[in-house]
Amino acid sequence: MKTSVAAVALWGKTAPSHSITAVMVTDDQQTIVTGSQEGQICLWDLSSDLKISSKEILFGHTASVTCLAKARE
């Protein structure tokens, strides 16, 4: 069973930096994946009317994410 966790960002008067260094769109064009200079990978839902909403944020990289690639089946 797959569980998902919604991304939640909490900060004060200014948002933390998230310098996007890599972008990828999935084949079904429903998800955008971004990598950041801060080492985060973010998943974004892309609706049919081109509205973007946060889906998940992945932490753990200790260096910038400068490249994204999809796995082959």
Side-chain angles (χ1 to χ4, degrees), residues 28-41:
D28 63 5
Q29 298 181 345
Q30 294 181 1
T31 303
I32 297 172
V33 183
T34 60
S36 75
Q37 186 173 2
E38 295 76 28
Q40 303 156 346
I41 295 176

Side-chain angles (χ1 to χ4, degrees), residues 29-65:
Q29 298 181 345
Q30 294 181 1
T31 303
I32 297 172
V33 183
T34 60
S36 75
Q37 186 173 2
E38 295 76 28
Q40 303 156 346
I41 295 176
C42 298
L43 305 178
W44 308 86
D45 280 327
L46 179 60
S47 68
S48 59
D49 57 348
L50 301 179
K51 291 186 180 179
I52 300 171
S53 58
S54 61
K55 183 176 180 180
E56 294 179 57
I57 187 166
L58 309 172
F59 297 95
H61 288 84
T62 56
S64 297
V65 177

Side-chain angles (χ1 to χ4, degrees), residues 3 10-11 13-15 20-21 24 29 46 48-49 54 57 62 64-65 71-73:
T3 57
L10 302 173
W11 55 77
K13 293 182 179 184
T14 59
I20 294 175
T21 52
M24 183 183 77
Q29 298 181 345
L46 179 60
S48 59
D49 57 348
S54 61
I57 187 166
T62 56
S64 297
V65 177
R72 293 189 176 165
E73 295 180 14

